[in-house]
Coordinates of all heavy atoms in Angstrom, one line a residue:
M656 N -52.2 24.1 -42.0 CA -52.0 23.2 -43.1 C -53.2 22.3 -43.3 O -53.9 21.9 -42.3 CB -50.8 22.3 -42.6 CG -50.4 21.3 -43.6 SD -48.9 20.5 -43.1 CE -48.6 19.7 -44.6
R657 N -53.6 22.1 -44.6 CA -54.6 21.2 -44.9 C -54.4 19.9 -44.8 O -53.3 19.4 -45.1 CB -55.1 21.6 -46.3 CG -55.6 23.1 -46.5 CD -56.0 23.2 -47.9 NE -56.9 24.4 -48.0 CZ -56.2 25.7 -48.5 NH1 -55.1 25.5 -48.9 NH2 -57.1 26.7 -48.5
S658 N -55.4 19.0 -44.5 CA -55.3 17.6 -44.5 C -55.3 17.0 -45.9 O -56.2 17.3 -46.6 CB -56.4 17.0 -43.7 OG -56.4 15.6 -43.7
A659 N -54.3 16.2 -46.1 CA -54.4 15.4 -47.5 C -55.4 14.4 -47.6 O -55.7 13.9 -48.6 CB -53.0 14.9 -47.7
A660 N -55.9 14.0 -46.4 CA -56.8 12.9 -46.2 C -58.3 13.3 -46.9 O -59.1 12.5 -47.3 CB -57.1 12.4 -44.9
T661 N -58.6 14.7 -47.0 CA -59.9 15.1 -47.2 C -59.8 16.1 -48.3 O -60.3 17.3 -48.1 CB -60.7 15.6 -46.1 OG1 -60.1 16.6 -45.4 CG2 -60.9 14.4 -45.1
P662 N -59.1 15.9 -49.6 CA -59.0 17.1 -50.5 C -60.3 17.5 -51.0 O -60.4 18.7 -51.4 CB -58.1 16.5 -51.6 CG -58.3 15.0 -51.3 CD -58.5 14.7 -50.0
S663 N -61.4 16.6 -51.1 CA -62.6 17.0 -51.6 C -63.2 18.3 -50.9 O -64.0 19.0 -51.3 CB -63.5 15.9 -51.7 OG -63.9 15.4 -50.4
S664 N -62.9 18.4 -49.6 CA -63.4 19.5 -48.8 C -62.8 20.9 -49.0 O -63.4 21.8 -49.0 CB -63.3 19.1 -47.3 OG -61.9 19.0 -46.9
W665 N -61.5 21.0 -49.4 CA -60.8 22.1 -49.6 C -60.4 22.4 -51.1 O -60.2 23.5 -51.5 CB -59.5 22.3 -48.8 CG -58.5 21.1 -48.9 CD1 -58.5 20.0 -47.9 CD2 -57.5 20.9 -49.9 NE1 -57.4 19.3 -48.4 CE2 -56.9 19.8 -49.5 CE3 -57.2 21.7 -51.0 CZ2 -55.7 19.2 -50.3 CZ3 -56.1 21.2 -51.7 CH2 -55.5 20.0 -51.4
F666 N -60.3 21.3 -52.0 CA -59.9 21.5 -53.4 C -60.8 22.4 -54.1 O -60.3 23.5 -54.8 CB -59.9 20.1 -54.1 CG -59.7 20.2 -55.5 CD1 -58.3 20.5 -55.9 CD2 -60.7 20.0 -56.4 CE1 -58.0 20.5 -57.2 CE2 -60.3 20.1 -57.8 CZ -59.0 20.3 -58.1
P667 N -62.2 22.2 -54.2 CA -63.0 23.3 -54.9 C -62.8 24.7 -54.6 O -62.7 25.7 -55.3 CB -64.4 22.8 -54.7 CG -64.3 21.4 -54.3 CD -63.1 21.3 -53.5
E668 N -62.7 25.0 -53.2 CA -62.5 26.3 -52.7 C -61.1 26.9 -53.3 O -61.1 28.1 -53.6 CB -62.6 26.3 -51.2 CG -62.3 27.6 -50.5 CD -62.2 27.6 -49.1 OE1 -63.0 26.8 -48.5 OE2 -61.6 28.4 -48.5
L669 N -60.1 26.0 -53.2 CA -58.6 26.6 -53.6 C -58.8 26.8 -55.1 O -58.2 27.9 -55.5 CB -57.7 25.4 -53.2 CG -56.3 25.8 -53.7 CD1 -55.8 26.9 -52.7 CD2 -55.5 24.5 -53.4
V670 N -59.5 26.0 -55.9 CA -59.6 26.2 -57.4 C -60.4 27.6 -57.6 O -60.0 28.3 -58.5 CB -60.1 25.1 -58.0 CG1 -60.5 25.4 -59.5 CG2 -59.2 24.0 -57.9
R671 N -61.4 27.7 -56.9 CA -62.4 28.8 -57.2 C -61.7 30.2 -56.8 O -62.1 31.1 -57.3 CB -63.7 28.7 -56.5 CG -64.6 27.6 -57.1 CD -65.1 28.0 -58.4 NE -66.0 27.1 -58.9 CZ -67.1 27.3 -59.7 NH1 -67.3 28.7 -60.0 NH2 -67.9 26.4 -60.2
K672 N -60.8 30.1 -55.9 CA -60.0 31.3 -55.5 C -59.1 31.8 -56.7 O -59.0 32.9 -56.9 CB -59.0 31.1 -54.2 CG -59.7 31.1 -53.1 CD -58.9 31.0 -51.8 CE -59.6 31.0 -50.6 NZ -58.7 30.8 -49.4
E673 N -58.6 30.7 -57.4 CA -57.7 31.2 -58.7 C -58.5 31.3 -59.9 O -58.2 32.2 -60.8 CB -56.8 30.0 -58.9 CG -55.7 29.8 -57.8 CD -54.8 31.1 -57.6 OE1 -54.5 31.6 -58.7 OE2 -54.5 31.4 -56.4
V674 N -59.7 30.7 -60.1 CA -60.5 30.7 -61.3 C -61.9 30.9 -60.7 O -62.7 29.8 -60.6 CB -60.4 29.5 -62.1 CG1 -61.2 29.7 -63.4 CG2 -58.9 29.1 -62.4
P675 N -62.4 32.1 -60.4 CA -63.8 32.3 -59.7 C -65.0 31.6 -60.5 O -65.9 31.2 -59.9 CB -63.8 33.8 -59.7 CG -62.5 34.2 -59.6 CD -61.6 33.3 -60.6
S676 N -64.9 31.6 -61.9 CA -66.0 31.1 -62.6 C -65.9 29.5 -62.7 O -66.9 28.9 -63.3 CB -66.0 31.7 -64.1 OG -64.8 31.4 -64.8
G677 N -64.7 29.0 -62.4 CA -64.5 27.4 -62.3 C -63.8 27.1 -63.5 O -63.6 27.9 -64.5
V678 N -63.1 26.0 -63.5 CA -62.3 25.5 -64.5 C -63.2 24.7 -65.6 O -64.4 24.4 -65.4 CB -61.3 24.5 -64.1 CG1 -60.3 25.3 -63.1 CG2 -61.8 23.3 -63.3
D679 N -62.7 24.6 -67.0 CA -63.5 24.0 -68.0 C -63.6 22.5 -67.8 O -64.7 21.9 -68.1 CB -62.8 24.1 -69.2 CG -62.8 25.7 -69.6 OD1 -63.7 26.4 -69.3 OD2 -61.9 26.1 -70.6
G680 N -62.6 21.8 -67.1 CA -62.7 20.4 -67.0 C -61.8 19.9 -65.8 O -60.9 20.6 -65.3
L681 N -62.1 18.7 -65.2 CA -61.4 18.1 -64.2 C -61.1 16.6 -64.5 O -62.0 15.9 -65.0 CB -62.3 18.2 -63.0 CG -61.9 17.5 -61.7 CD1 -60.8 18.1 -61.0 CD2 -63.1 17.3 -60.8
I682 N -60.0 16.3 -64.3 CA -59.6 14.8 -64.4 C -59.5 14.2 -63.0 O -58.6 14.6 -62.3 CB -58.3 14.6 -65.2 CG1 -58.4 15.1 -66.7 CG2 -57.9 13.1 -65.3 CD1 -57.1 15.2 -67.4
D683 N -60.3 13.2 -62.7 CA -60.5 12.6 -61.4 C -59.9 11.1 -61.3 O -60.5 10.4 -62.0 CB -61.8 12.7 -60.9 CG -62.0 11.9 -59.7 OD1 -61.2 11.9 -58.7 OD2 -63.0 11.0 -59.6
T684 N -58.8 11.0 -60.8 CA -58.2 9.7 -60.6 C -58.3 9.3 -59.2 O -57.8 8.2 -58.9 CB -56.7 9.7 -61.1 OG1 -55.9 10.5 -60.4 CG2 -56.7 10.0 -62.6
A685 N -58.9 10.0 -58.3 CA -58.9 9.8 -56.9 C -60.2 9.4 -56.4 O -60.5 9.0 -55.3 CB -58.4 11.1 -56.0
G686 N -61.1 9.4 -57.4 CA -62.6 9.0 -57.0 C -63.4 10.1 -56.1 O -64.2 9.6 -55.4
I687 N -63.0 11.3 -56.3 CA -63.7 12.4 -55.6 C -64.3 13.4 -56.6 O -64.6 14.5 -56.3 CB -62.7 13.2 -54.7 CG1 -61.6 13.8 -55.5 CG2 -62.2 12.3 -53.6 CD1 -60.8 14.8 -54.7
A688 N -64.8 12.9 -57.7 CA -65.4 13.7 -58.7 C -66.6 14.4 -58.3 O -66.8 15.5 -58.6 CB -65.7 12.9 -59.9
E689 N -67.4 13.8 -57.4 CA -68.7 14.4 -57.2 C -68.4 15.7 -56.2 O -68.8 16.9 -56.6 CB -69.7 13.6 -56.5 CG -71.1 13.9 -56.4 CD -71.2 15.0 -55.2 OE1 -70.9 15.0 -54.2 OE2 -72.1 16.0 -55.6
P690 N -67.7 15.6 -55.1 CA -67.5 16.8 -54.4 C -66.5 17.8 -55.2 O -66.6 19.0 -55.1 CB -66.8 16.4 -53.1 CG -66.4 14.9 -53.3 CD -67.3 14.4 -54.5
A691 N -65.6 17.3 -55.9 CA -64.5 18.1 -56.6 C -65.1 18.7 -57.7 O -64.6 19.8 -58.2 CB -63.4 17.2 -57.0
S692 N -66.2 18.4 -58.3 CA -66.9 19.0 -59.3 C -67.4 20.5 -59.1 O -67.7 21.1 -59.9 CB -68.1 18.3 -59.8 OG -69.2 18.3 -59.0
R693 N -67.4 20.8 -57.8 CA -67.7 22.2 -57.5 C -66.7 23.1 -58.0 O -66.9 24.3 -58.0 CB -67.9 22.3 -55.9 CG -69.1 21.6 -55.3 CD -69.4 21.7 -53.9 NE -68.2 21.7 -53.0 CZ -67.8 20.5 -52.3 NH1 -68.5 19.5 -52.6 NH2 -66.9 20.5 -51.6
A694 N -65.5 22.6 -58.4 CA -64.5 23.4 -58.9 C -64.7 23.8 -60.4 O -64.0 24.5 -61.0 CB -63.1 22.9 -58.8
V695 N -65.6 22.9 -61.1 CA -65.9 23.0 -62.5 C -67.0 23.9 -62.7 O -68.0 24.1 -62.1 CB -66.2 21.6 -63.0 CG1 -66.5 21.6 -64.4 CG2 -65.2 20.6 -62.7
R696 N -66.8 24.7 -63.8 CA -67.8 25.7 -64.2 C -69.0 25.1 -64.8 O -69.0 23.9 -65.1 CB -67.2 26.6 -65.5 CG -67.1 25.8 -66.7 CD -66.9 26.8 -67.9 NE -66.4 26.1 -69.1 CZ -67.4 25.5 -69.8 NH1 -68.6 25.4 -69.7 NH2 -67.0 24.9 -71.0
D697 N -70.2 25.8 -64.8 CA -71.4 25.2 -65.3 C -71.1 25.0 -66.7 O -70.5 25.7 -67.6 CB -72.5 26.2 -65.2 CG -72.9 26.5 -63.8 OD1 -72.4 25.8 -62.8 OD2 -73.8 27.4 -63.5
G698 N -71.5 23.7 -67.2 CA -71.4 23.1 -68.5 C -70.1 22.6 -68.8 O -69.7 22.3 -69.9
G699 N -69.2 22.5 -67.7 CA -67.9 21.9 -67.8 C -68.0 20.4 -68.0 O -69.1 19.8 -68.1
R700 N -66.8 19.8 -68.0 CA -66.6 18.2 -68.2 C -65.8 17.7 -67.0 O -64.8 18.4 -66.5 CB -66.0 18.1 -69.5 CG -66.9 18.5 -70.6 CD -66.3 18.0 -71.9 NE -67.3 18.5 -73.0 CZ -68.2 17.6 -73.5 NH1 -68.3 16.4 -73.1 NH2 -69.0 18.0 -74.5
V701 N -66.1 16.5 -66.5 CA -65.3 15.8 -65.6 C -65.0 14.4 -66.4 O -65.9 13.7 -66.8 CB -66.1 15.5 -64.3 CG1 -65.3 14.6 -63.3 CG2 -66.4 16.8 -63.6
A702 N -63.8 14.0 -66.3 CA -63.3 12.6 -66.7 C -62.8 12.0 -65.4 O -62.1 12.5 -64.6 CB -62.1 12.8 -67.6
T703 N -63.4 10.8 -65.3 CA -63.2 10.0 -64.0 C -62.8 8.5 -64.4 O -63.1 8.0 -65.5 CB -64.2 10.0 -63.1 OG1 -64.0 9.3 -61.9 CG2 -65.5 9.4 -63.7
S704 N -62.0 8.0 -63.4 CA -61.7 6.6 -63.6 C -62.7 5.5 -62.9 O -62.5 4.4 -63.1 CB -60.2 6.3 -63.1 OG -60.2 6.6 -61.7
R705 N -63.6 6.2 -62.2 CA -64.7 5.3 -61.6 C -65.9 5.3 -62.2 O -66.5 6.4 -62.6 CB -64.8 5.8 -60.1 CG -63.5 5.6 -59.4 CD -63.7 5.9 -57.9 NE -64.7 5.0 -57.3 CZ -65.2 5.3 -56.1 NH1 -64.8 6.4 -55.5 NH2 -66.1 4.5 -55.7
H706 N -66.6 4.1 -62.4 CA -67.9 4.0 -63.0 C -68.9 4.5 -62.0 O -68.7 4.3 -60.8 CB -68.1 2.6 -63.4 CG -67.1 2.1 -64.6 ND1 -67.5 2.4 -65.8 CD2 -66.2 1.4 -64.5 CE1 -66.6 1.9 -66.6 NE2 -65.8 1.3 -65.8
G707 N -69.9 5.0 -62.5 CA -71.2 5.3 -61.7 C -70.9 6.6 -61.0 O -71.8 7.0 -60.1
I708 N -70.0 7.4 -61.2 CA -69.9 8.8 -60.6 C -71.0 9.7 -61.1 O -71.3 9.9 -62.3 CB -68.5 9.4 -60.9 CG1 -67.5 8.5 -60.3 CG2 -68.4 10.8 -60.4 CD1 -67.4 8.5 -58.8
Q709 N -71.8 10.3 -60.1 CA -72.8 11.3 -60.5 C -72.4 12.6 -59.9 O -71.9 12.7 -58.9 CB -74.1 10.8 -59.9 CG -74.7 9.4 -60.5 CD -74.9 9.5 -61.9 OE1 -75.5 10.4 -62.4 NE2 -74.6 8.5 -62.7
V710 N -72.8 13.7 -60.7 CA -72.6 15.1 -60.3 C -74.0 15.6 -59.9 O -74.8 15.7 -60.8 CB -71.8 15.9 -61.2 CG1 -71.8 17.3 -60.8 CG2 -70.5 15.4 -61.6
S711 N -74.3 15.9 -58.7 CA -75.5 16.5 -58.3 C -75.7 17.9 -58.8 O -74.8 18.7 -59.1 CB -75.7 16.4 -56.8 OG -74.6 17.2 -56.2
G712 N -76.9 18.3 -58.9 CA -77.3 19.6 -59.3 C -77.6 19.8 -60.8 O -77.4 18.7 -61.5
D713 N -78.2 20.8 -61.2 CA -78.6 21.1 -62.5 C -77.6 22.1 -63.2 O -77.9 23.2 -63.5 CB -80.0 21.6 -62.6 CG -80.5 21.8 -64.0 OD1 -80.0 20.9 -64.8 OD2 -81.3 22.6 -64.3
R714 N -76.2 21.8 -63.3 CA -75.3 22.6 -63.8 C -74.7 22.3 -65.2 O -73.9 23.0 -65.6 CB -74.1 22.7 -62.8 CG -74.5 23.2 -61.5 CD -73.4 23.3 -60.3 NE -72.3 23.8 -60.9 CZ -71.0 23.4 -60.7 NH1 -70.7 22.4 -59.8 NH2 -70.0 24.1 -61.3
G715 N -75.3 21.2 -65.7 CA -74.9 20.8 -67.1 C -73.5 20.3 -67.2 O -73.0 20.2 -68.2
I716 N -73.0 19.8 -66.2 CA -71.5 19.1 -66.2 C -71.7 17.7 -66.7 O -72.5 16.9 -66.2 CB -71.0 19.1 -64.7 CG1 -70.6 20.6 -64.3 CG2 -69.5 18.3 -64.7 CD1 -70.2 20.6 -62.8
V717 N -70.8 17.4 -67.7 CA -70.9 16.1 -68.4 C -69.8 15.3 -67.7 O -68.6 15.8 -67.6 CB -70.5 16.3 -69.9 CG1 -70.5 14.9 -70.6 CG2 -71.6 17.1 -70.6
V718 N -70.2 14.1 -67.3 CA -69.2 13.2 -66.6 C -69.0 11.9 -67.5 O -70.0 11.3 -68.0 CB -69.6 12.7 -65.3 CG1 -68.8 11.7 -64.6 CG2 -70.2 13.8 -64.3
K719 N -67.7 11.7 -67.8 CA -67.4 10.5 -68.6 C -66.3 9.7 -68.0 O -65.4 10.1 -67.3 CB -66.6 11.1 -69.9 CG -67.5 11.8 -70.8 CD -68.4 11.0 -71.6 CE -69.3 11.7 -72.5 NZ -70.2 11.0 -73.4
T720 N -66.5 8.3 -68.0 CA -65.6 7.3 -67.5 C -64.6 7.1 -68.6 O -65.0 6.5 -69.6 CB -66.2 6.2 -67.0 OG1 -67.2 6.5 -66.0 CG2 -65.3 5.2 -66.4
T721 N -63.2 7.5 -68.5 CA -62.4 7.4 -69.4 C -61.2 6.4 -69.3 O -60.6 6.0 -70.3 CB -61.8 8.9 -69.8 OG1 -61.1 9.2 -68.6 CG2 -62.7 9.8 -70.2
F722 N -61.1 6.1 -68.0 CA -59.9 5.2 -67.6 C -60.5 3.9 -67.3 O -61.3 3.9 -66.2 CB -58.9 5.8 -66.7 CG -58.6 7.2 -66.9 CD1 -59.1 8.3 -66.3 CD2 -57.6 7.4 -67.9 CE1 -58.6 9.6 -66.5 CE2 -57.0 8.7 -68.2 CZ -57.7 9.8 -67.5
P723 N -60.1 2.8 -67.8 CA -60.6 1.5 -67.3 C -59.9 1.3 -65.9 O -58.8 1.6 -65.6 CB -60.1 0.5 -68.2 CG -58.9 1.1 -68.9 CD -59.1 2.6 -68.9
P724 N -60.7 0.7 -65.0 CA -60.1 0.4 -63.6 C -58.9 -0.6 -63.7 O -59.1 -1.6 -64.3 CB -61.3 -0.3 -62.9 CG -62.5 0.2 -63.6 CD -62.0 0.4 -65.0
L725 N -57.7 -0.1 -63.4 CA -56.5 -1.0 -63.9 C -56.6 -2.2 -63.1 O -56.1 -3.2 -63.6 CB -55.4 -0.1 -63.4 CG -55.2 1.2 -64.2 CD1 -53.9 2.0 -63.5 CD2 -54.9 0.8 -65.6
L726 N -57.0 -2.4 -61.8 CA -57.1 -3.6 -61.1 C -58.0 -4.6 -61.8 O -57.6 -5.8 -62.0 CB -57.3 -3.5 -59.8 CG -56.2 -2.8 -58.9 CD1 -56.8 -2.6 -57.5 CD2 -55.1 -3.6 -58.7
E727 N -59.1 -4.1 -62.4 CA -60.0 -5.1 -62.9 C -59.6 -5.6 -64.3 O -60.0 -6.7 -64.7 CB -61.3 -4.2 -63.2 CG -62.1 -4.0 -61.8 CD -63.3 -3.3 -62.1 OE1 -63.8 -3.2 -63.3 OE2 -63.9 -2.7 -61.1
T728 N -58.8 -4.8 -65.0 CA -58.3 -5.2 -66.3 C -56.9 -5.9 -66.3 O -56.5 -6.3 -67.4 CB -58.2 -3.9 -67.3 OG1 -57.3 -3.1 -66.6 CG2 -59.6 -3.2 -67.4
G729 N -56.3 -5.9 -65.2 CA -55.1 -6.5 -65.1 C -53.9 -5.6 -65.4 O -52.7 -6.1 -65.6
G730 N -54.2 -4.4 -65.7 CA -53.2 -3.3 -65.9 C -52.3 -2.8 -64.8 O -51.3 -2.3 -65.0
L731 N -52.7 -3.2 -63.6 CA -51.9 -2.8 -62.4 C -51.9 -4.2 -61.5 O -52.8 -4.7 -61.2 CB -52.7 -1.8 -61.6 CG -52.0 -1.3 -60.4 CD1 -50.7 -0.6 -60.7 CD2 -52.9 -0.4 -59.7
R732 N -50.7 -4.6 -61.2 CA -50.5 -5.6 -60.4 C -49.8 -5.3 -59.2 O -48.9 -4.6 -59.3 CB -49.7 -6.6 -61.2 CG -50.4 -7.2 -62.5 CD -50.0 -8.5 -63.0 NE -50.9 -8.7 -64.0 CZ -50.7 -9.0 -65.4 NH1 -49.3 -9.1 -65.6 NH2 -51.5 -9.3 -66.2
G733 N -50.2 -6.0 -58.0 CA -49.5 -5.6 -56.8 C -48.8 -6.9 -56.3 O -49.1 -8.1 -56.8
R734 N -47.8 -6.6 -55.5 CA -47.1 -7.7 -54.9 C -47.2 -7.7 -53.4 O -47.1 -6.6 -52.8 CB -45.6 -7.5 -55.3 CG -44.7 -8.8 -54.9 CD -43.4 -8.6 -55.5 NE -42.6 -8.0 -54.4 CZ -41.3 -7.9 -54.5 NH1 -40.6 -8.1 -55.6 NH2 -40.6 -7.4 -53.4
V735 N -47.6 -8.7 -52.8 CA -47.7 -8.8 -51.3 C -46.5 -9.3 -50.7 O -46.0 -10.3 -51.1 CB -49.0 -9.8 -50.9 CG1 -48.9 -9.8 -49.4 CG2 -50.2 -9.2 -51.5
V736 N -46.0 -8.5 -49.8 CA -44.7 -8.8 -49.2 C -45.0 -8.9 -47.6 O -45.5 -8.0 -46.9 CB -43.5 -7.8 -49.3 CG1 -42.3 -8.2 -48.6 CG2 -43.2 -7.5 -50.8
P737 N -44.7 -10.2 -47.1 CA -45.1 -10.2 -45.6 C -44.2 -9.3 -44.6 O -43.1 -9.0 -45.1 CB -44.7 -11.7 -45.3 CG -44.1 -12.2 -46.5 CD -44.0 -11.3 -47.6
A738 N -44.8 -8.7 -43.7 CA -44.1 -7.8 -42.9 C -44.1 -8.4 -41.4 O -45.1 -8.9 -40.9 CB -44.6 -6.5 -42.9
F739 N -43.1 -8.4 -40.8 CA -42.9 -9.0 -39.5 C -42.6 -7.9 -38.4 O -42.0 -7.0 -38.5 CB -41.9 -10.1 -39.3 CG -42.2 -11.2 -40.2 CD1 -41.6 -11.2 -41.5 CD2 -43.0 -12.2 -39.9 CE1 -41.8 -12.3 -42.3 CE2 -43.3 -13.2 -40.7 CZ -42.6 -13.3 -42.0

């Protein structure tokens, strides 16, 4: 069984088994765009919710930040409940 804690280590391999040439695009909401981009074909696209994500290599992958960070914009609010 694979560990859910480190999807960036097994996700690209799993995708490439199904789509050997890589997928056209990837939507990253977990902040793992750089390692997960190995699942994207050369010249593909990555949409991410984190600013400053870079994809290493010279594969022509375009990275766009498309989702504003919800905590920074007030779009997501948390409630703290004391636990005893």
Side-chain angles (χ1 to χ4, degrees):
M656 183 172 186
R657 291 188 171 99
S658 169
T661 58
S663 61
S664 63
W665 54 261
F666 175 76
E668 178 184 329
L669 184 66
V670 171
R671 290 287 183 148
K672 281 183 182 178
E673 295 296 320
V674 185
S676 61
V678 294
D679 293 334
L681 171 77
I682 298 174
D683 168 42
T684 60
I687 61 169
E689 198 284 320
S692 69
R693 294 189 308 268
V695 178
R696 68 168 174 78
D697 292 356
R700 296 184 179 265
V701 173
T703 182
S704 59
R705 295 189 56 197
H706 294 282
I708 296 292
Q709 300 293 319
V710 175
S711 61
D713 187 28
R714 298 181 46 219
I716 295 175
V717 177
V718 179
K719 296 285 185 179
T720 302
T721 58
F722 308 105
L725 294 175
L726 288 173
E727 291 175 16
T728 62
L731 181 65
R732 297 198 172 126
R734 190 176 96 176
V735 178
V736 179
F739 300 95

